[in-house]
Amino acid sequence: EKAREEKPDLVCISGDVFHQEQIGPARYSDEMVTATRIIDELSKVSKFVIVMRGTPNHDGAGQFRVLTKMLEHNKKVAVVTTPQVISTPIADIVCIPGFDKQEFRAKFPGLSAEEENLTWTNHISEMVMGLRAQCSQTNIVADMVPAILMAHYTVPGCNMESGQTSFFTNFEPVIPREALEAAGYEAVLLGHIHRPQQINGLHNVYYSGAINAMNFNDEHQNRGFYIHEFMGGEMTSSQFCGTPYRRFKTIDWDTNQVSDYIGNRDAYALVTNISRDISDMIVRVKYSCTSEQKKLLNIPLLQKDLYDWGAFYVSDIEAENAID
């Protein structure tokens, strides 16, 4: 709907189109039809769409072979599975898809885990710099053309889904900040980290984040995408657009709240107004209780109450500790 309003020149989808690689045939078919329809619709209201493969645990090789085949008729869509530069009158787009361990190990056999991450990080840096050098600087009317990097990796300093900041390079291959600074892209549009953000201390480096919430790690985060505007080859503004999504909600009860619920189930919703807090959400309950309360707390009944109070789905009801 937003694309229909804005009519963007370029749509960049930086990986993880699908949620899982290994899924059953019915869901596989449904997801493929949905993804193809959305990408086709985006191409109708924009000049060009680039869909890049993410990590193999999300975007399987088979899924992207089928996606490529289903979209090959559409000349306004590029499905990208290998590092390359796509030159358009709008921008030069450098694409570096997600990390494929099997492909990497075929190129660099016999390395330890730490050696692998360091070697691949160095290899990514070389791609970031080398592909930047292949970008043209002007288009046919001699206006500056922005060079945009689409990549599906962690950049040290980004905020992870858990809220922690990523600083370490020895656990997974990353794009070093120094490589991005030296390459001088007009914009870096990243996938892989689900939390939307602009990376502090780096010029025009963004994670759009996921457009949907996936689990309870996403409970207090925004979901959506960015609209970036360029003029004269330079980015002039960025706007974050939120998407509607099913929210997650954790209910934390201490012994007093457990006591209140056990003491008067019927009045609990009215007194606490819990219906307002969990309406249409995916809900879990974590509680602390005494040994006596544990005997009195009827879990199936609590589950029924949560649905009656408006929960869309009750994921879990779990005792964090029982106090003797």
Side-chain angles (χ1 to χ4, degrees):
E1 289 173 0
K2 192 69 176 176
R4 287 190 189 102
E5 286 176 28
E6 297 285 338
K7 295 181 173 54
D9 294 296
L10 184 65
V11 177
C12 297
I13 303 171
S14 294
D16 289 355
V17 173
F18 303 99
H19 184 42
Q20 286 175 289
E21 179 197 12
Q22 301 293 343
I23 53 175
R27 181 174 148 194
Y28 180 97
S29 302
D30 289 343
E31 289 189 1
M32 192 59 66
V33 168
T34 300
T36 306
R37 177 181 58 78
I38 291 171
I39 294 164
D40 263 330
E41 289 291 317
L42 286 170
S43 74
K44 291 174 185 174
V45 294
S46 63
K47 292 178 182 175
F48 203 68
V49 180
I50 298 177
V51 185
M52 189 176 73
R53 186 185 174 194
T55 46
N57 62 315
H58 289 288
D59 293 342
Q63 287 163 310
F64 257 67
R65 278 197 299 272
V66 175
L67 191 67
T68 302
K69 196 71 179 171
M70 292 182 72
L71 290 165
E72 67 181 359
H73 68 283
N74 191 333
K75 302 309 178 188
K76 294 173 68 177
V77 176
V79 180
V80 179
T81 58
T82 57
Q84 60 185 273
V85 179
I86 296 177
S87 292
T88 76
I90 305 156
D92 288 328
I93 305 98
V94 170
C95 300
I96 305 180
F99 178 58
D100 189 325
K101 283 187 177 179
Q102 303 311 316
E103 183 182 310
F104 168 70
R105 284 170 180 162
K107 291 181 182 176
F108 303 97
L111 300 178
S112 68
E114 288 189 3
E115 287 172 334
E116 277 191 346
N117 290 335
L118 183 59
T119 303
W120 188 247
T121 291
N122 292 335
H123 186 57
I124 296 168
S125 297
E126 291 169 5
M127 284 194 288
V128 167
M129 300 293 291
L131 292 172
R132 175 66 179 90
Q134 295 180 28
C135 297
S136 61
Q137 294 299 312
T138 58
N139 68 10
I140 54 174
V141 292
D143 289 330
M144 291 299 295
V145 172
I148 296 172
L149 172 63
M150 291 172 62
H152 195 87
Y153 287 92
T154 300
V155 172
C158 69
N159 290 315
M160 313 292 277
E161 286 77 38
S162 61
Q164 296 175 316
T165 303
S166 168
F167 289 113
F168 305 107
T169 62
N170 57 329
F171 300 117
E172 67 167 322
V174 301
I175 301 181
R177 297 168 68 95
E178 299 78 14
L180 293 177
E181 289 172 338
Y185 289 95
E186 276 72 51
V188 179
L189 311 180
L190 300 165
H192 190 45
I193 302 301
H194 291 184
R195 182 186 287 265
Q197 60 195 282
Q198 181 179 8
I199 306 294
N200 288 333
L202 289 175
H203 179 62
N204 292 343
V205 179
Y206 290 84
Y207 280 100
S208 64
I211 57 171
N212 196 16
M214 299 296 167
N215 52 48
F216 283 95
N217 283 337
D218 305 338
E219 188 169 342
H220 302 294
Q221 297 175 35
N222 293 324
R223 285 290 172 262
F225 54 91
Y226 281 99
I227 296 177
H228 306 291
E229 294 193 6
F230 294 79
M231 187 171 291
E234 298 288 332
M235 185 187 287
T236 55
S237 69
S238 292
Q239 173 195 359
F240 183 76
C241 302
T243 47
Y245 65 93
R246 181 83 60 195
R247 295 180 181 270
F248 288 78
K249 175 72 175 180
T250 300
I251 299 170
D252 289 301
W253 277 355
D254 59 22
T255 54
N256 292 329
Q257 289 160 310
V258 172
S259 178
D260 290 343
Y261 171 75
I262 293 171
N264 196 340
R265 271 184 55 243
D266 295 331
Y268 187 84
L270 293 173
V271 172
T272 62
N273 206 7
I274 193 172
S275 300
R276 177 199 61 197
D277 294 336
I278 69 171
S279 177
D280 209 32
M281 296 184 186
I282 298 170
V283 174
R284 66 178 175 182
V285 179
K286 293 186 172 184
Y287 65 93
S288 300
C289 64
T290 64
S291 300
E292 191 60 33
Q293 286 174 331
K294 192 166 181 65
K295 297 173 189 173
L296 296 172
L297 187 60
N298 186 325
I299 298 300
L301 199 56
L302 173 56
Q303 184 180 46
K304 178 183 179 300
D305 285 341
L306 290 166
Y307 281 116
D308 289 344
W309 297 338
F312 173 78
Y313 178 69
V314 179
S315 170
D316 193 26
I317 300 173
E318 180 184 7
E320 295 222 280
N321 56 63
I323 302 161
D324 291 321

